[in-house]
Amino acid sequence: MTQDHAQYAASSNVPLIKSPSLRVPKAVEVPPDMYPLPDSITEYFAYPFTLEPHVITLESSRKTTIAAHAARREAYLTSREHEKERRKREALQRVAPGYHPESGPLAPKRLGDLIAKRLDESVAKSGVELMSLPPPPPPTRTVMDDLVDQLAAMESKRE
């Protein structure tokens, strides 16, 4: 065995370090005035219990302040959400009046049917029977119609 160790005796004092920039740290020296902790450390505790009421009142006021801030923040966030939803509804109303996302897709309705239905409802509410409406007057001729007729007449004369 000593022969096995004698073979490596020269390398036992060489530090095995991968990087040449690293060195073995120096050994830590304990200062001579260091002493161990005593068996009981209760004499080191000197807490003045006169501070307790002051700390408790500060803590309760801090908790109420935090709760008030949290409630105000929550109210602000809900108001922002409601404002976003209101703006979205207004944008939808500008694009498609009468559309509500929760009601589903819009179905087209004839305007004449709606007018007749409302007219029937108003007659039913008032109890008065309406006479039939007179026929609409014939459409009046505009200046543009006269011009078109004159141009057509001139065109027919040329041919």
Side-chain angles (χ1 to χ4, degrees), residues 56-94:
I56 290 173
T57 57
L58 283 178
E59 181 66 19
S60 65
S61 67
R62 187 182 68 84
K63 284 183 180 178
T64 56
T65 305
I66 289 174
H69 285 295
R72 192 167 57 219
R73 182 179 64 244
E74 194 65 33
Y76 174 71
L77 292 176
T78 54
S79 69
R80 274 184 51 188
E81 278 299 316
H82 291 308
E83 183 66 21
K84 283 182 185 177
E85 290 173 8
R86 185 187 62 77
R87 286 182 186 164
K88 190 182 288 184
R89 282 193 307 269
E90 286 177 358
L92 281 174
Q93 289 300 317
R94 282 193 299 269

PDB file of all heavy atoms in Angstrom, residues 56-94:
ATOM      1  N   ILE A  56     -51.372  48.103  17.815  1.00  0.00           N
ATOM      2  CA  ILE A  56     -52.683  47.544  17.480  1.00  0.00           C
ATOM      3  C   ILE A  56     -53.563  48.606  16.817  1.00  0.00           C
ATOM      4  O   ILE A  56     -54.245  48.329  15.828  1.00  0.00           O
ATOM      5  CB  ILE A  56     -53.347  46.956  18.731  1.00  0.00           C
ATOM      6  CG1 ILE A  56     -52.587  45.688  19.148  1.00  0.00           C
ATOM      7  CG2 ILE A  56     -54.803  46.632  18.484  1.00  0.00           C
ATOM      8  CD1 ILE A  56     -53.035  45.108  20.464  1.00  0.00           C
ATOM      9  N   THR A  57     -53.560  49.831  17.321  1.00  0.00           N
ATOM     10  CA  THR A  57     -54.380  50.877  16.706  1.00  0.00           C
ATOM     11  C   THR A  57     -53.864  51.223  15.312  1.00  0.00           C
ATOM     12  O   THR A  57     -54.664  51.435  14.395  1.00  0.00           O
ATOM     13  CB  THR A  57     -54.415  52.148  17.563  1.00  0.00           C
ATOM     14  OG1 THR A  57     -53.076  52.603  17.782  1.00  0.00           O
ATOM     15  CG2 THR A  57     -55.110  51.910  18.882  1.00  0.00           C
ATOM     16  N   LEU A  58     -52.559  51.254  15.140  1.00  0.00           N
ATOM     17  CA  LEU A  58     -52.005  51.515  13.808  1.00  0.00           C
ATOM     18  C   LEU A  58     -52.390  50.404  12.840  1.00  0.00           C
ATOM     19  O   LEU A  58     -52.736  50.664  11.682  1.00  0.00           O
ATOM     20  CB  LEU A  58     -50.485  51.649  13.869  1.00  0.00           C
ATOM     21  CG  LEU A  58     -49.936  52.961  14.407  1.00  0.00           C
ATOM     22  CD1 LEU A  58     -48.409  52.912  14.436  1.00  0.00           C
ATOM     23  CD2 LEU A  58     -50.393  54.115  13.552  1.00  0.00           C
ATOM     24  N   GLU A  59     -52.354  49.177  13.304  1.00  0.00           N
ATOM     25  CA  GLU A  59     -52.688  48.037  12.441  1.00  0.00           C
ATOM     26  C   GLU A  59     -54.154  48.069  12.037  1.00  0.00           C
ATOM     27  O   GLU A  59     -54.485  47.822  10.876  1.00  0.00           O
ATOM     28  CB  GLU A  59     -52.352  46.724  13.156  1.00  0.00           C
ATOM     29  CG  GLU A  59     -52.631  45.491  12.345  1.00  0.00           C
ATOM     30  CD  GLU A  59     -51.761  45.354  11.109  1.00  0.00           C
ATOM     31  OE1 GLU A  59     -50.707  46.013  11.045  1.00  0.00           O
ATOM     32  OE2 GLU A  59     -52.141  44.606  10.211  1.00  0.00           O
ATOM     33  N   SER A  60     -55.045  48.393  12.971  1.00  0.00           N
ATOM     34  CA  SER A  60     -56.467  48.420  12.625  1.00  0.00           C
ATOM     35  C   SER A  60     -56.771  49.554  11.652  1.00  0.00           C
ATOM     36  O   SER A  60     -57.542  49.380  10.710  1.00  0.00           O
ATOM     37  CB  SER A  60     -57.321  48.554  13.887  1.00  0.00           C
ATOM     38  OG  SER A  60     -57.083  49.799  14.496  1.00  0.00           O
ATOM     39  N   SER A  61     -56.146  50.717  11.845  1.00  0.00           N
ATOM     40  CA  SER A  61     -56.370  51.819  10.899  1.00  0.00           C
ATOM     41  C   SER A  61     -55.780  51.482   9.533  1.00  0.00           C
ATOM     42  O   SER A  61     -56.355  51.822   8.498  1.00  0.00           O
ATOM     43  CB  SER A  61     -55.780  53.115  11.431  1.00  0.00           C
ATOM     44  OG  SER A  61     -54.375  53.025  11.475  1.00  0.00           O
ATOM     45  N   ARG A  62     -54.683  50.780   9.517  1.00  0.00           N
ATOM     46  CA  ARG A  62     -54.076  50.365   8.244  1.00  0.00           C
ATOM     47  C   ARG A  62     -54.990  49.394   7.511  1.00  0.00           C
ATOM     48  O   ARG A  62     -55.176  49.497   6.301  1.00  0.00           O
ATOM     49  CB  ARG A  62     -52.712  49.725   8.507  1.00  0.00           C
ATOM     50  CG  ARG A  62     -51.920  49.411   7.249  1.00  0.00           C
ATOM     51  CD  ARG A  62     -50.612  48.735   7.581  1.00  0.00           C
ATOM     52  NE  ARG A  62     -50.798  47.420   8.121  1.00  0.00           N
ATOM     53  CZ  ARG A  62     -50.961  46.315   7.378  1.00  0.00           C
ATOM     54  NH1 ARG A  62     -50.974  46.399   6.076  1.00  0.00           N
ATOM     55  NH2 ARG A  62     -51.127  45.137   7.943  1.00  0.00           N
ATOM     56  N   LYS A  63     -55.589  48.476   8.262  1.00  0.00           N
ATOM     57  CA  LYS A  63     -56.494  47.507   7.635  1.00  0.00           C
ATOM     58  C   LYS A  63     -57.736  48.195   7.064  1.00  0.00           C
ATOM     59  O   LYS A  63     -58.188  47.849   5.971  1.00  0.00           O
ATOM     60  CB  LYS A  63     -56.913  46.432   8.639  1.00  0.00           C
ATOM     61  CG  LYS A  63     -55.843  45.406   8.897  1.00  0.00           C
ATOM     62  CD  LYS A  63     -56.340  44.336   9.847  1.00  0.00           C
ATOM     63  CE  LYS A  63     -55.270  43.308  10.108  1.00  0.00           C
ATOM     64  NZ  LYS A  63     -55.709  42.275  11.059  1.00  0.00           N
ATOM     65  N   THR A  64     -58.290  49.162   7.791  1.00  0.00           N
ATOM     66  CA  THR A  64     -59.465  49.863   7.268  1.00  0.00           C
ATOM     67  C   THR A  64     -59.103  50.681   6.028  1.00  0.00           C
ATOM     68  O   THR A  64     -59.878  50.746   5.075  1.00  0.00           O
ATOM     69  CB  THR A  64     -60.082  50.780   8.338  1.00  0.00           C
ATOM     70  OG1 THR A  64     -59.081  51.688   8.809  1.00  0.00           O
ATOM     71  CG2 THR A  64     -60.640  49.986   9.496  1.00  0.00           C
ATOM     72  N   THR A  65     -57.912  51.282   6.024  1.00  0.00           N
ATOM     73  CA  THR A  65     -57.471  52.039   4.855  1.00  0.00           C
ATOM     74  C   THR A  65     -57.300  51.123   3.651  1.00  0.00           C
ATOM     75  O   THR A  65     -57.727  51.448   2.541  1.00  0.00           O
ATOM     76  CB  THR A  65     -56.143  52.760   5.155  1.00  0.00           C
ATOM     77  OG1 THR A  65     -56.306  53.567   6.313  1.00  0.00           O
ATOM     78  CG2 THR A  65     -55.695  53.605   3.984  1.00  0.00           C
ATOM     79  N   ILE A  66     -56.696  49.970   3.873  1.00  0.00           N
ATOM     80  CA  ILE A  66     -56.506  49.008   2.778  1.00  0.00           C
ATOM     81  C   ILE A  66     -57.848  48.523   2.256  1.00  0.00           C
ATOM     82  O   ILE A  66     -58.055  48.403   1.042  1.00  0.00           O
ATOM     83  CB  ILE A  66     -55.618  47.835   3.245  1.00  0.00           C
ATOM     84  CG1 ILE A  66     -54.171  48.313   3.413  1.00  0.00           C
ATOM     85  CG2 ILE A  66     -55.685  46.675   2.274  1.00  0.00           C
ATOM     86  CD1 ILE A  66     -53.240  47.285   4.006  1.00  0.00           C
ATOM     87  N   ALA A  67     -58.799  48.265   3.153  1.00  0.00           N
ATOM     88  CA  ALA A  67     -60.127  47.819   2.730  1.00  0.00           C
ATOM     89  C   ALA A  67     -60.839  48.910   1.928  1.00  0.00           C
ATOM     90  O   ALA A  67     -61.492  48.625   0.917  1.00  0.00           O
ATOM     91  CB  ALA A  67     -60.960  47.432   3.943  1.00  0.00           C
ATOM     92  N   ALA A  68     -60.697  50.169   2.358  1.00  0.00           N
ATOM     93  CA  ALA A  68     -61.324  51.273   1.622  1.00  0.00           C
ATOM     94  C   ALA A  68     -60.706  51.413   0.232  1.00  0.00           C
ATOM     95  O   ALA A  68     -61.419  51.612  -0.757  1.00  0.00           O
ATOM     96  CB  ALA A  68     -61.169  52.577   2.404  1.00  0.00           C
ATOM     97  N   HIS A  69     -59.379  51.288   0.140  1.00  0.00           N
ATOM     98  CA  HIS A  69     -58.711  51.365  -1.159  1.00  0.00           C
ATOM     99  C   HIS A  69     -59.152  50.215  -2.061  1.00  0.00           C
ATOM    100  O   HIS A  69     -59.371  50.412  -3.265  1.00  0.00           O
ATOM    101  CB  HIS A  69     -57.189  51.355  -0.997  1.00  0.00           C
ATOM    102  CG  HIS A  69     -56.620  52.640  -0.504  1.00  0.00           C
ATOM    103  ND1 HIS A  69     -56.679  53.806  -1.236  1.00  0.00           N
ATOM    104  CD2 HIS A  69     -55.983  52.950   0.645  1.00  0.00           C
ATOM    105  CE1 HIS A  69     -56.096  54.775  -0.567  1.00  0.00           C
ATOM    106  NE2 HIS A  69     -55.667  54.290   0.587  1.00  0.00           N
ATOM    107  N   ALA A  70     -59.269  49.032  -1.495  1.00  0.00           N
ATOM    108  CA  ALA A  70     -59.689  47.871  -2.287  1.00  0.00           C
ATOM    109  C   ALA A  70     -61.118  48.060  -2.797  1.00  0.00           C
ATOM    110  O   ALA A  70     -61.415  47.748  -3.955  1.00  0.00           O
ATOM    111  CB  ALA A  70     -59.575  46.600  -1.457  1.00  0.00           C
ATOM    112  N   ALA A  71     -62.002  48.585  -1.956  1.00  0.00           N
ATOM    113  CA  ALA A  71     -63.388  48.810  -2.384  1.00  0.00           C
ATOM    114  C   ALA A  71     -63.446  49.868  -3.480  1.00  0.00           C
ATOM    115  O   ALA A  71     -64.182  49.714  -4.469  1.00  0.00           O
ATOM    116  CB  ALA A  71     -64.237  49.234  -1.190  1.00  0.00           C
ATOM    117  N   ARG A  72     -62.671  50.936  -3.335  1.00  0.00           N
ATOM    118  CA  ARG A  72     -62.656  51.991  -4.344  1.00  0.00           C
ATOM    119  C   ARG A  72     -62.090  51.465  -5.663  1.00  0.00           C
ATOM    120  O   ARG A  72     -62.607  51.771  -6.741  1.00  0.00           O
ATOM    121  CB  ARG A  72     -61.840  53.174  -3.835  1.00  0.00           C
ATOM    122  CG  ARG A  72     -62.013  54.404  -4.683  1.00  0.00           C
ATOM    123  CD  ARG A  72     -61.467  55.660  -4.042  1.00  0.00           C
ATOM    124  NE  ARG A  72     -60.063  55.523  -3.699  1.00  0.00           N
ATOM    125  CZ  ARG A  72     -59.517  56.006  -2.602  1.00  0.00           C
ATOM    126  NH1 ARG A  72     -60.242  56.652  -1.729  1.00  0.00           N
ATOM    127  NH2 ARG A  72     -58.237  55.846  -2.357  1.00  0.00           N
ATOM    128  N   ARG A  73     -61.044  50.657  -5.574  1.00  0.00           N
ATOM    129  CA  ARG A  73     -60.454  50.073  -6.782  1.00  0.00           C
ATOM    130  C   ARG A  73     -61.453  49.138  -7.469  1.00  0.00           C
ATOM    131  O   ARG A  73     -61.613  49.162  -8.695  1.00  0.00           O
ATOM    132  CB  ARG A  73     -59.170  49.318  -6.428  1.00  0.00           C
ATOM    133  CG  ARG A  73     -58.472  48.726  -7.638  1.00  0.00           C
ATOM    134  CD  ARG A  73     -57.180  48.004  -7.276  1.00  0.00           C
ATOM    135  NE  ARG A  73     -57.444  46.864  -6.426  1.00  0.00           N
ATOM    136  CZ  ARG A  73     -57.027  46.719  -5.175  1.00  0.00           C
ATOM    137  NH1 ARG A  73     -56.311  47.656  -4.614  1.00  0.00           N
ATOM    138  NH2 ARG A  73     -57.306  45.638  -4.486  1.00  0.00           N
ATOM    139  N   GLU A  74     -62.156  48.333  -6.679  1.00  0.00           N
ATOM    140  CA  GLU A  74     -63.150  47.413  -7.238  1.00  0.00           C
ATOM    141  C   GLU A  74     -64.285  48.185  -7.911  1.00  0.00           C
ATOM    142  O   GLU A  74     -64.735  47.820  -9.003  1.00  0.00           O
ATOM    143  CB  GLU A  74     -63.695  46.512  -6.127  1.00  0.00           C
ATOM    144  CG  GLU A  74     -64.454  45.323  -6.636  1.00  0.00           C
ATOM    145  CD  GLU A  74     -63.583  44.350  -7.404  1.00  0.00           C
ATOM    146  OE1 GLU A  74     -62.395  44.208  -7.083  1.00  0.00           O
ATOM    147  OE2 GLU A  74     -64.106  43.752  -8.356  1.00  0.00           O
ATOM    148  N   ALA A  75     -64.734  49.262  -7.272  1.00  0.00           N
ATOM    149  CA  ALA A  75     -65.801  50.079  -7.868  1.00  0.00           C
ATOM    150  C   ALA A  75     -65.314  50.721  -9.170  1.00  0.00           C
ATOM    151  O   ALA A  75     -66.062  50.781 -10.155  1.00  0.00           O
ATOM    152  CB  ALA A  75     -66.239  51.153  -6.880  1.00  0.00           C
ATOM    153  N   TYR A  76     -64.079  51.171  -9.192  1.00  0.00           N
ATOM    154  CA  TYR A  76     -63.525  51.780 -10.402  1.00  0.00           C
ATOM    155  C   TYR A  76     -63.441  50.755 -11.530  1.00  0.00           C
ATOM    156  O   TYR A  76     -63.811  51.049 -12.670  1.00  0.00           O
ATOM    157  CB  TYR A  76     -62.132  52.349 -10.098  1.00  0.00           C
ATOM    158  CG  TYR A  76     -61.419  52.880 -11.315  1.00  0.00           C
ATOM    159  CD1 TYR A  76     -61.835  54.047 -11.932  1.00  0.00           C
ATOM    160  CD2 TYR A  76     -60.335  52.207 -11.850  1.00  0.00           C
ATOM    161  CE1 TYR A  76     -61.190  54.541 -13.046  1.00  0.00           C
ATOM    162  CE2 TYR A  76     -59.682  52.679 -12.964  1.00  0.00           C
ATOM    163  CZ  TYR A  76     -60.109  53.842 -13.561  1.00  0.00           C
ATOM    164  OH  TYR A  76     -59.469  54.307 -14.666  1.00  0.00           O
ATOM    165  N   LEU A  77     -62.987  49.539 -11.215  1.00  0.00           N
ATOM    166  CA  LEU A  77     -62.872  48.506 -12.242  1.00  0.00           C
ATOM    167  C   LEU A  77     -64.237  48.101 -12.782  1.00  0.00           C
ATOM    168  O   LEU A  77     -64.399  47.919 -13.999  1.00  0.00           O
ATOM    169  CB  LEU A  77     -62.127  47.287 -11.691  1.00  0.00           C
ATOM    170  CG  LEU A  77     -60.645  47.506 -11.392  1.00  0.00           C
ATOM    171  CD1 LEU A  77     -60.037  46.261 -10.763  1.00  0.00           C
ATOM    172  CD2 LEU A  77     -59.890  47.869 -12.654  1.00  0.00           C
ATOM    173  N   THR A  78     -65.243  47.988 -11.908  1.00  0.00           N
ATOM    174  CA  THR A  78     -66.579  47.631 -12.388  1.00  0.00           C
ATOM    175  C   THR A  78     -67.157  48.764 -13.233  1.00  0.00           C
ATOM    176  O   THR A  78     -67.807  48.499 -14.248  1.00  0.00           O
ATOM    177  CB  THR A  78     -67.527  47.305 -11.228  1.00  0.00           C
ATOM    178  OG1 THR A  78     -67.537  48.398 -10.302  1.00  0.00           O
ATOM    179  CG2 THR A  78     -67.115  46.035 -10.516  1.00  0.00           C
ATOM    180  N   SER A  79     -66.909  50.029 -12.836  1.00  0.00           N
ATOM    181  CA  SER A  79     -67.421  51.140 -13.648  1.00  0.00           C
ATOM    182  C   SER A  79     -66.744  51.153 -15.014  1.00  0.00           C
ATOM    183  O   SER A  79     -67.394  51.450 -16.027  1.00  0.00           O
ATOM    184  CB  SER A  79     -67.221  52.470 -12.930  1.00  0.00           C
ATOM    185  OG  SER A  79     -65.854  52.796 -12.862  1.00  0.00           O
ATOM    186  N   ARG A  80     -65.458  50.823 -15.073  1.00  0.00           N
ATOM    187  CA  ARG A  80     -64.773  50.741 -16.365  1.00  0.00           C
ATOM    188  C   ARG A  80     -65.368  49.644 -17.233  1.00  0.00           C
ATOM    189  O   ARG A  80     -65.566  49.832 -18.440  1.00  0.00           O
ATOM    190  CB  ARG A  80     -63.278  50.463 -16.163  1.00  0.00           C
ATOM    191  CG  ARG A  80     -62.476  51.707 -15.956  1.00  0.00           C
ATOM    192  CD  ARG A  80     -61.004  51.458 -15.852  1.00  0.00           C
ATOM    193  NE  ARG A  80     -60.469  50.649 -16.922  1.00  0.00           N
ATOM    194  CZ  ARG A  80     -59.246  50.175 -16.951  1.00  0.00           C
ATOM    195  NH1 ARG A  80     -58.418  50.432 -15.965  1.00  0.00           N
ATOM    196  NH2 ARG A  80     -58.815  49.448 -17.959  1.00  0.00           N
ATOM    197  N   GLU A  81     -65.664  48.489 -16.628  1.00  0.00           N
ATOM    198  CA  GLU A  81     -66.278  47.397 -17.386  1.00  0.00           C
ATOM    199  C   GLU A  81     -67.640  47.801 -17.927  1.00  0.00           C
ATOM    200  O   GLU A  81     -67.958  47.541 -19.088  1.00  0.00           O
ATOM    201  CB  GLU A  81     -66.409  46.148 -16.505  1.00  0.00           C
ATOM    202  CG  GLU A  81     -65.160  45.330 -16.393  1.00  0.00           C
ATOM    203  CD  GLU A  81     -64.688  44.808 -17.728  1.00  0.00           C
ATOM    204  OE1 GLU A  81     -65.513  44.317 -18.529  1.00  0.00           O
ATOM    205  OE2 GLU A  81     -63.480  44.913 -17.997  1.00  0.00           O
ATOM    206  N   HIS A  82     -68.458  48.446 -17.076  1.00  0.00           N
ATOM    207  CA  HIS A  82     -69.779  48.887 -17.524  1.00  0.00           C
ATOM    208  C   HIS A  82     -69.653  49.921 -18.646  1.00  0.00           C
ATOM    209  O   HIS A  82     -70.446  49.901 -19.606  1.00  0.00           O
ATOM    210  CB  HIS A  82     -70.590  49.462 -16.360  1.00  0.00           C
ATOM    211  CG  HIS A  82     -70.992  48.435 -15.352  1.00  0.00           C
ATOM    212  ND1 HIS A  82     -71.624  47.267 -15.689  1.00  0.00           N
ATOM    213  CD2 HIS A  82     -70.858  48.399 -14.008  1.00  0.00           C
ATOM    214  CE1 HIS A  82     -71.857  46.548 -14.608  1.00  0.00           C
ATOM    215  NE2 HIS A  82     -71.387  47.222 -13.568  1.00  0.00           N
ATOM    216  N   GLU A  83     -68.669  50.813 -18.528  1.00  0.00           N
ATOM    217  CA  GLU A  83     -68.456  51.823 -19.564  1.00  0.00           C
ATOM    218  C   GLU A  83     -68.053  51.168 -20.886  1.00  0.00           C
ATOM    219  O   GLU A  83     -68.535  51.556 -21.953  1.00  0.00           O
ATOM    220  CB  GLU A  83     -67.378  52.818 -19.104  1.00  0.00           C
ATOM    221  CG  GLU A  83     -67.112  53.949 -20.065  1.00  0.00           C
ATOM    222  CD  GLU A  83     -68.285  54.885 -20.225  1.00  0.00           C
ATOM    223  OE1 GLU A  83     -69.153  54.927 -19.330  1.00  0.00           O
ATOM    224  OE2 GLU A  83     -68.353  55.561 -21.257  1.00  0.00           O
ATOM    225  N   LYS A  84     -67.185  50.160 -20.822  1.00  0.00           N
ATOM    226  CA  LYS A  84     -66.790  49.446 -22.037  1.00  0.00           C
ATOM    227  C   LYS A  84     -67.989  48.761 -22.684  1.00  0.00           C
ATOM    228  O   LYS A  84     -68.170  48.822 -23.905  1.00  0.00           O
ATOM    229  CB  LYS A  84     -65.726  48.388 -21.720  1.00  0.00           C
ATOM    230  CG  LYS A  84     -64.347  48.928 -21.513  1.00  0.00           C
ATOM    231  CD  LYS A  84     -63.386  47.793 -21.246  1.00  0.00           C
ATOM    232  CE  LYS A  84     -62.006  48.279 -20.917  1.00  0.00           C
ATOM    233  NZ  LYS A  84     -61.108  47.159 -20.593  1.00  0.00           N
ATOM    234  N   GLU A  85     -68.817  48.109 -21.859  1.00  0.00           N
ATOM    235  CA  GLU A  85     -70.002  47.438 -22.393  1.00  0.00           C
ATOM    236  C   GLU A  85     -70.973  48.453 -22.993  1.00  0.00           C
ATOM    237  O   GLU A  85     -71.567  48.197 -24.052  1.00  0.00           O
ATOM    238  CB  GLU A  85     -70.693  46.637 -21.297  1.00  0.00           C
ATOM    239  CG  GLU A  85     -69.906  45.424 -20.856  1.00  0.00           C
ATOM    240  CD  GLU A  85     -70.511  44.746 -19.653  1.00  0.00           C
ATOM    241  OE1 GLU A  85     -71.632  45.126 -19.249  1.00  0.00           O
ATOM    242  OE2 GLU A  85     -69.867  43.833 -19.113  1.00  0.00           O
ATOM    243  N   ARG A  86     -71.147  49.611 -22.353  1.00  0.00           N
ATOM    244  CA  ARG A  86     -72.051  50.634 -22.863  1.00  0.00           C
ATOM    245  C   ARG A  86     -71.551  51.151 -24.206  1.00  0.00           C
ATOM    246  O   ARG A  86     -72.324  51.305 -25.151  1.00  0.00           O
ATOM    247  CB  ARG A  86     -72.161  51.788 -21.862  1.00  0.00           C
ATOM    248  CG  ARG A  86     -73.190  52.850 -22.261  1.00  0.00           C
ATOM    249  CD  ARG A  86     -73.149  54.041 -21.340  1.00  0.00           C
ATOM    250  NE  ARG A  86     -71.879  54.736 -21.362  1.00  0.00           N
ATOM    251  CZ  ARG A  86     -71.476  55.566 -22.319  1.00  0.00           C
ATOM    252  NH1 ARG A  86     -72.245  55.798 -23.345  1.00  0.00           N
ATOM    253  NH2 ARG A  86     -70.303  56.171 -22.250  1.00  0.00           N
ATOM    254  N   ARG A  87     -70.241  51.405 -24.311  1.00  0.00           N
ATOM    255  CA  ARG A  87     -69.681  51.868 -25.574  1.00  0.00           C
ATOM    256  C   ARG A  87     -69.858  50.838 -26.680  1.00  0.00           C
ATOM    257  O   ARG A  87     -70.147  51.177 -27.830  1.00  0.00           O
ATOM    258  CB  ARG A  87     -68.199  52.207 -25.412  1.00  0.00           C
ATOM    259  CG  ARG A  87     -67.958  53.478 -24.672  1.00  0.00           C
ATOM    260  CD  ARG A  87     -66.487  53.783 -24.595  1.00  0.00           C
ATOM    261  NE  ARG A  87     -66.245  54.946 -23.761  1.00  0.00           N
ATOM    262  CZ  ARG A  87     -65.082  55.261 -23.265  1.00  0.00           C
ATOM    263  NH1 ARG A  87     -64.033  54.493 -23.519  1.00  0.00           N
ATOM    264  NH2 ARG A  87     -64.936  56.334 -22.516  1.00  0.00           N
ATOM    265  N   LYS A  88     -69.668  49.563 -26.321  1.00  0.00           N
ATOM    266  CA  LYS A  88     -69.838  48.504 -27.306  1.00  0.00           C
ATOM    267  C   LYS A  88     -71.287  48.445 -27.782  1.00  0.00           C
ATOM    268  O   LYS A  88     -71.556  48.305 -28.976  1.00  0.00           O
ATOM    269  CB  LYS A  88     -69.432  47.154 -26.704  1.00  0.00           C
ATOM    270  CG  LYS A  88     -69.352  46.034 -27.724  1.00  0.00           C
ATOM    271  CD  LYS A  88     -68.999  44.717 -27.093  1.00  0.00           C
ATOM    272  CE  LYS A  88     -67.554  44.704 -26.660  1.00  0.00           C
ATOM    273  NZ  LYS A  88     -67.130  43.402 -26.124  1.00  0.00           N
ATOM    274  N   ARG A  89     -72.249  48.577 -26.843  1.00  0.00           N
ATOM    275  CA  ARG A  89     -73.661  48.572 -27.222  1.00  0.00           C
ATOM    276  C   ARG A  89     -73.994  49.764 -28.107  1.00  0.00           C
ATOM    277  O   ARG A  89     -74.733  49.634 -29.088  1.00  0.00           O
ATOM    278  CB  ARG A  89     -74.544  48.579 -25.977  1.00  0.00           C
ATOM    279  CG  ARG A  89     -74.654  47.229 -25.305  1.00  0.00           C
ATOM    280  CD  ARG A  89     -75.781  47.219 -24.285  1.00  0.00           C
ATOM    281  NE  ARG A  89     -75.714  48.302 -23.317  1.00  0.00           N
ATOM    282  CZ  ARG A  89     -75.097  48.244 -22.146  1.00  0.00           C
ATOM    283  NH1 ARG A  89     -74.495  47.140 -21.796  1.00  0.00           N
ATOM    284  NH2 ARG A  89     -75.093  49.275 -21.333  1.00  0.00           N
ATOM    285  N   GLU A  90     -73.421  50.942 -27.776  1.00  0.00           N
ATOM    286  CA  GLU A  90     -73.670  52.126 -28.594  1.00  0.00           C
ATOM    287  C   GLU A  90     -73.112  51.946 -29.997  1.00  0.00           C
ATOM    288  O   GLU A  90     -73.744  52.343 -30.979  1.00  0.00           O
ATOM    289  CB  GLU A  90     -73.065  53.364 -27.944  1.00  0.00           C
ATOM    290  CG  GLU A  90     -73.827  53.866 -26.749  1.00  0.00           C
ATOM    291  CD  GLU A  90     -73.157  55.066 -26.091  1.00  0.00           C
ATOM    292  OE1 GLU A  90     -72.067  55.473 -26.554  1.00  0.00           O
ATOM    293  OE2 GLU A  90     -73.728  55.580 -25.117  1.00  0.00           O
ATOM    294  N   ALA A  91     -71.931  51.355 -30.108  1.00  0.00           N
ATOM    295  CA  ALA A  91     -71.351  51.109 -31.432  1.00  0.00           C
ATOM    296  C   ALA A  91     -72.227  50.135 -32.223  1.00  0.00           C
ATOM    297  O   ALA A  91     -72.448  50.328 -33.427  1.00  0.00           O
ATOM    298  CB  ALA A  91     -69.930  50.568 -31.291  1.00  0.00           C
ATOM    299  N   LEU A  92     -72.730  49.109 -31.550  1.00  0.00           N
ATOM    300  CA  LEU A  92     -73.618  48.166 -32.230  1.00  0.00           C
ATOM    301  C   LEU A  92     -74.915  48.845 -32.657  1.00  0.00           C
ATOM    302  O   LEU A  92     -75.447  48.567 -33.735  1.00  0.00           O
ATOM    303  CB  LEU A  92     -73.932  46.978 -31.314  1.00  0.00           C
ATOM    304  CG  LEU A  92     -72.854  45.921 -31.208  1.00  0.00           C
ATOM    305  CD1 LEU A  92     -73.235  44.889 -30.161  1.00  0.00           C
ATOM    306  CD2 LEU A  92     -72.628  45.248 -32.534  1.00  0.00           C
ATOM    307  N   GLN A  93     -75.418  49.749 -31.826  1.00  0.00           N
ATOM    308  CA  GLN A  93     -76.657  50.445 -32.174  1.00  0.00           C
ATOM    309  C   GLN A  93     -76.446  51.367 -33.374  1.00  0.00           C
ATOM    310  O   GLN A  93     -77.358  51.570 -34.165  1.00  0.00           O
ATOM    311  CB  GLN A  93     -77.183  51.244 -30.980  1.00  0.00           C
ATOM    312  CG  GLN A  93     -77.738  50.388 -29.864  1.00  0.00           C
ATOM    313  CD  GLN A  93     -78.904  49.544 -30.334  1.00  0.00           C
ATOM    314  OE1 GLN A  93     -79.778  49.999 -31.044  1.00  0.00           O
ATOM    315  NE2 GLN A  93     -78.898  48.285 -29.929  1.00  0.00           N
ATOM    316  N   ARG A  94     -75.251  51.960 -33.502  1.00  0.00           N
ATOM    317  CA  ARG A  94     -74.968  52.797 -34.662  1.00  0.00           C
ATOM    318  C   ARG A  94     -74.903  51.958 -35.935  1.00  0.00           C
ATOM    319  O   ARG A  94     -75.352  52.382 -36.991  1.00  0.00           O
ATOM    320  CB  ARG A  94     -73.652  53.551 -34.472  1.00  0.00           C
ATOM    321  CG  ARG A  94     -73.765  54.754 -33.573  1.00  0.00           C
ATOM    322  CD  ARG A  94     -72.536  55.641 -33.678  1.00  0.00           C
ATOM    323  NE  ARG A  94     -71.308  54.970 -33.282  1.00  0.00           N
ATOM    324  CZ  ARG A  94     -70.813  54.959 -32.049  1.00  0.00           C
ATOM    325  NH1 ARG A  94     -71.451  55.591 -31.096  1.00  0.00           N
ATOM    326  NH2 ARG A  94     -69.697  54.330 -31.774  1.00  0.00           N
TER     327      ARG A  94
END
